[in-house]
Amino acid sequence: MNDSKLAVIGTGFAGLSAAAYLAKAGFGVDAYEKNAEVGGRVRQLAEKGYVFDMGPSWYWMPEVFEKFFNDFGCQAKDFYELEQLDPGFTMVFGPGDVLNIPAGFEDLCTLFESIESGSAKQLQLFLKEAAYKYHTGMDKLVYKPGLSIFEFADWGLFKGVFKLQVFTTFSKHVRQFFKDPKLIALMEFPVLFLGAMPENTPALYSLMNYAGLKLGTWYPKGGFGRVTEAMQKVCEQQGVKFHTGEAVKGLTIDDEKISSIRTIKKDIGCDGVIAAADYHYVEQELLAPGYRNYDEAYWDKRVMAPSALIFYLGVTCRVDKLSHHTLFFETDLQQHATEIYKEPQWPTKPLFYVCCPSKTDDTVAPAGHENLFILMPLAPGLNDDETLREKYFGLLMERLEKYTGLPLRDRLDYKKSYCVNDFKTDYNAYKGNAYGLANTLKQTANLKPSINNKKIKNLFYAGQLTVPGPGVPPSIISGKVAAGQLIKYLNRKK
């Protein structure tokens, strides 16, 4: 056991990952969480027999989770059961115009061909390129700390740089393969919901299509809360101590190093810190101006991924027409994207997403009921009040009721909304963002906010506002990378 005592601020997936790796390296680790439970955005809400995942609901890239657990001598199946969804998800384009995206690749090719002649072969070519990006990205790129351009001075990466298509836009890339608007929407939706406008996103991110369409969409039985519990158990097995309901309020710096942290309860000496809470909040609220990497003007110029308006609903009937994941694309994708990224405003004709985990899991709703999670992407930083929430609840439910043929509002026995103000209150989220920093060309790899504090030697950042980026698997990886950097620093000190 190393004598050094380390602190992790925030216990979302990035913080849990960082804490586990630090403790495995032999350090004493204390993890501090402002909320009453561990998990950050990956919390659950249990009310009236319903169990709602409050944040992430898409389980993609299962090998990233598996790699985490393998690093500690265990497997995901030791903690929770995974089920592959079939269909992986459903897209609704209008009355009678519905695409169920099958889990099997041959069935997927058949579906594509039925929509656009020749598109099955195009899909195979598209995903062959995407597979190269995925394996290069996941094996070589995402585990780099992004501290120097020389990290990429690798002949294998250099000779394949054009195949990664960092300088080609996602929108242009997709349209080189497909012409049908539905197929284009199918390929573009991951970057819209999790990143930026397709025309501002590097084609590198077609790796997400490979993850979703080829590797499959999965579900952890019991919900994402089981994944949080599993990672917390791994941490505790390594010796991590958790302090919930204990927000960090300040950092004491001596000789360019953090010497202690101040929580709402006590001061604690420490030899290093991983800040896995909101990067902007940590810099602006916990550090004096002279110790910050970036000023407020810098943050204001960042392109943020969306916030969201979310409704957690319990309904007293089964809803046969919904899949586990259903995306409503009856309106113009480009207009909604513009109203998120270019002309921020509450959307005119929003796209939205419905998760119905009770289709797969009978433990998350009472018998005969459904558990619904409705999400509408929204520009961060907008005014958020109850009147606006209710207005959009009416708009979304009207469309959902029309599609399902059921008077769902008459059959509600639980309802809770969540939006910009809640993201700010619960997670100190900059501008109330839900997903982090958008994956634009100017915010990729070394161009993201730095993983290390340039003025404090033993402070490193993890999470969705630094490398490798937004999403659950990148957050797990971010924690590992940040932990590795702090371990290197501490080992150099010896």
Side-chain angles (χ1 to χ4, degrees):
M1 185 77 174
N2 195 297
D3 290 336
S4 296
K5 195 165 184 62
L6 310 180
V8 175
I9 305 172
T11 63
F13 278 164
L16 289 171
S17 175
Y21 284 106
L22 291 172
K24 182 186 177 186
F27 297 98
V29 180
D30 289 86
Y32 296 90
E33 170 59 53
K34 72 181 288 290
N35 293 313
E37 62 279 322
V38 166
R41 284 167 169 77
V42 198
R43 297 185 296 158
Q44 289 189 315
L45 169 68
E47 291 285 350
K48 298 184 70 174
Y50 299 97
V51 180
F52 299 97
D53 280 326
M54 296 187 70
S57 57
W58 293 77
Y59 196 104
W60 279 1
M61 306 183 189
E63 79 283 358
V64 174
F65 299 84
E66 201 61 56
K67 184 179 289 188
F68 171 82
F69 291 114
N70 291 171
D71 282 345
F72 299 92
C74 51
Q75 302 175 67
K77 69 180 182 181
D78 296 332
F79 302 100
Y80 53 86
E81 179 187 350
L82 274 182
E83 179 174 337
Q84 186 171 11
L85 302 180
D86 193 6
F89 54 95
T90 295
M91 300 187 77
V92 178
F93 293 97
D97 192 1
V98 177
L99 295 184
N100 290 308
I101 309 304
F105 188 64
E106 287 188 11
D107 291 336
L108 182 65
C109 289
T110 300
L111 174 65
F112 268 62
E113 195 65 25
S114 71
I115 296 170
E116 180 182 317
S117 178
S119 64
K121 183 177 180 181
Q122 290 295 93
L123 176 64
Q124 293 173 28
L125 293 171
F126 183 93
L127 291 181
K128 183 179 179 180
E129 290 189 9
Y132 172 82
K133 297 171 192 173
Y134 183 85
H135 292 297
T136 301
M138 300 309 293
D139 295 341
K140 295 185 177 182
L141 296 178
V142 296
Y143 289 93
K144 295 183 182 296
L147 297 174
S148 168
I149 194 68
F150 293 107
E151 292 171 18
F152 304 97
D154 171 293
W155 176 244
L157 283 177
F158 181 76
K159 69 181 181 180
V161 68
F162 294 106
K163 292 173 70 176
L164 291 175
Q165 296 183 302
V166 174
F167 303 107
T168 302
T169 71
F170 191 90
S171 178
K172 180 180 178 181
H173 179 60
V174 168
R175 284 162 177 76
Q176 289 173 341
F177 289 85
F178 309 106
K179 305 302 178 190
D180 187 90
K182 287 184 287 188
L183 296 185
I184 290 171
L186 165 61
M187 306 310 274
E188 289 186 341
F189 97 83
V191 299
L192 172 67
F193 274 69
L194 292 176
M197 292 187 73
E199 58 264 38
N200 294 327
T201 301
L204 167 68
Y205 290 100
S206 64
L207 62 85
M208 293 176 67
N209 300 113
Y210 177 78
L213 298 178
K214 202 70 186 287
L215 301 181
T217 301
W218 300 77
Y219 173 73
K221 287 295 187 70
F224 262 84
R226 301 291 80 77
V227 187
T228 298
E229 290 172 5
M231 293 182 70
Q232 183 176 357
K233 285 179 183 176
V234 168
C235 287
E236 289 171 340
Q237 289 167 0
Q238 301 301 312
V240 177
K241 296 177 182 178
F242 287 93
H243 308 266
T244 55
E246 190 165 353
V248 174
K249 306 304 287 184
L251 303 171
T252 302
I253 300 158
D254 293 311
D255 192 26
E256 299 181 323
K257 295 187 292 290
I258 295 174
S259 59
S260 67
I261 66 170
R262 184 177 74 259
T263 75
I264 58 172
K265 297 180 180 179
K266 57 185 178 289
D267 285 2
I268 312 101
C270 67
D271 300 289
V273 173
I274 299 288
D278 183 271
Y279 196 137
H280 169 269
Y281 176 83
V282 171
E283 292 234 312
Q284 299 299 313
E285 299 298 327
L286 304 186
L287 294 176
Y291 292 112
R292 298 170 187 165
N293 278 347
Y294 309 105
D295 60 17
E296 195 65 41
Y298 168 89
W299 287 106
D300 193 51
K301 292 176 182 176
R302 295 313 92 195
V303 179
M304 304 303 297
S307 185
L309 171 61
I310 302 170
F311 295 100
Y312 309 104
L313 306 178
V315 296
T316 60
C317 63
R318 304 309 299 237
V319 186
D320 294 337
K321 291 192 72 174
L322 288 176
S323 298
H324 188 115
H325 297 298
T326 305
L327 296 148
F328 287 81
F329 272 66
E330 323 103 291
T331 58
D332 183 38
L333 183 153
Q334 187 66 28
Q335 181 178 358
H336 192 167
T338 297
E339 291 169 343
I340 293 174
Y341 296 107
K342 288 187 175 179
E343 301 167 12
Q345 60 186 285
W346 282 78
T348 308
K349 296 179 179 179
L351 289 71
F352 68 103
Y353 154 65
V354 179
C355 182
C356 185
S358 44
K359 289 287 179 186
T360 308
D361 187 349
D362 60 11
T363 70
V364 298
H369 294 211
E370 298 280 29
N371 171 322
L372 303 183
F373 168 107
I374 301 177
L375 182 149
M376 180 186 80
L378 187 68
L382 295 183
N383 176 54
D384 163 29
D385 59 43
E386 196 60 34
T387 300
L388 280 166
R389 295 188 190 196
E390 284 304 302
K391 172 187 172 182
Y392 280 87
F393 179 70
L395 290 173
L396 300 181
M397 292 303 292
E398 183 178 342
R399 286 164 58 186
L400 185 57
E401 289 175 338
K402 183 177 180 180
Y403 174 71
T404 61
L406 294 170
L408 297 175
R409 281 173 285 188
D410 294 338
R411 301 182 184 182
L412 290 179
D413 70 343
Y414 183 78
K415 173 189 172 188
K416 178 181 175 66
S417 66
Y418 202 92
C419 198
V420 173
N421 290 345
D422 299 298
F423 283 104
K424 291 178 181 177
T425 298
D426 288 350
Y427 312 121
N428 295 318
Y430 180 56
K431 295 185 177 180
N433 80 82
Y435 299 106
L437 203 67
N439 283 321
T440 64
L441 176 58
K442 294 181 180 179
Q443 295 179 167
T444 295
N446 297 52
L447 301 178
K448 292 184 185 293
S450 178
I451 198 169
N452 73 320
N453 185 290
K454 300 167 187 176
K455 301 164 186 177
I456 303 172
K457 296 174 182 178
N458 60 348
L459 172 59
F460 296 86
Y461 301 91
Q464 57 189 14
L465 291 179
T466 184
V467 292
V472 171
S475 290
I476 293 173
I477 293 167
S478 181
K480 180 177 184 178
V481 174
Q485 293 302 300
L486 179 52
I487 291 167
K488 281 183 183 178
Y489 164 75
L490 294 167
N491 288 339
R492 283 199 303 267
K493 276 183 61 186
K494 290 181 180 179

